[in-house]
Amino acid sequence: FSGSAQTEYGDPEYLAAFRCVIKPVAEQFCPDIVLIAAGYNAMSGHESYNVTAECFAFMTQELGRLAEGRIMIALEGGYNLVSLSQACEMCIRSLLGEQITHLPAKSLKCAPNAFAVKAIEECITIHRKTYQSRPT
C-alpha cells in the first residue's frame, strides 16, 4: 500500500490483504522456505500507517505454518525505534512458538478502507491467471 495523508492503513487493511492475497497464494505455491522482508515502517509512528506489532506477529505466525516452519525474517525497514523494537519482539516470540491470539478489537471489527479494497481487488485480478484467490 502507498500511504497518503488522506488515508490510514492499519491492521484491517493489512489483514485483508494477507487473508485475500498473501496467504492463499503462499499456500498454493507450497514454498520450501518462507523469507520475509520485514519492513516495519507500516507501524504507528510512520505517516499514514498504524499496523500493530500484534498484527505483524500474527501474520508471521500464519506464514510459519508453511514450509514445515522453515522461515526467516530479514529486517529491512522501520525508522521509529520504539515501534520497531515492539514488532521485532512480537515476531520473534511468534517464531519461538508463542501463540499470537490477541489482536486489538478494532483490528477485527473494522472493514478495510476503500483504497485498500481497490488495491486488493486489482492484485487479485492481475494474479488470477496464475493463482486462485479467495474473494474479498
Side-chain angles (χ1 to χ4, degrees):
F1 298 119
S2 295
S4 71
Q6 301 164 345
T7 304
E8 181 179 278
Y9 292 90
D11 291 358
E13 291 74 27
Y14 274 67
L15 289 170
F18 184 79
R19 290 177 177 151
C20 294
V21 179
I22 305 299
K23 188 175 179 188
V25 168
E27 288 172 343
Q28 290 176 38
F29 185 73
C30 297
D32 293 323
I33 188 170
V34 175
L35 306 174
I36 300 174
Y40 297 120
N41 51 338
M43 285 194 62
S44 59
H46 296 86
E47 184 177 342
S48 303
Y49 294 97
N50 195 24
V51 180
T52 63
E54 291 84 3
C55 184
F56 279 117
F58 174 78
M59 293 186 290
T60 299
Q61 174 181 282
E62 291 298 302
L63 290 173
R65 299 180 200 283
L66 301 169
E68 298 177 8
R70 291 183 297 270
I71 186 168
M72 184 188 90
I73 299 176
L75 182 61
E76 60 91 11
Y79 307 101
N80 179 308
L81 295 180
V82 173
S83 58
L84 176 64
S85 63
Q86 291 169 346
C88 288
E89 177 187 356
M90 289 298 295
C91 288
I92 290 169
R93 286 175 182 238
S94 171
L95 289 175
L96 293 173
E98 186 174 314
Q99 292 299 304
I100 309 302
T101 57
H102 178 266
L103 288 170
K106 179 183 174 188
S107 302
L108 301 173
K109 292 181 181 179
C110 291
N113 69 51
F115 295 105
V117 171
K118 184 174 189 270
I120 292 166
E121 288 172 345
E122 289 174 0
C123 187
I124 289 170
T125 299
I126 291 167
H127 294 288
R128 183 173 282 142
K129 295 172 190 165
T130 307
Y131 296 102
Q132 296 176 359
S133 183
R134 298 177 188 154
T136 56

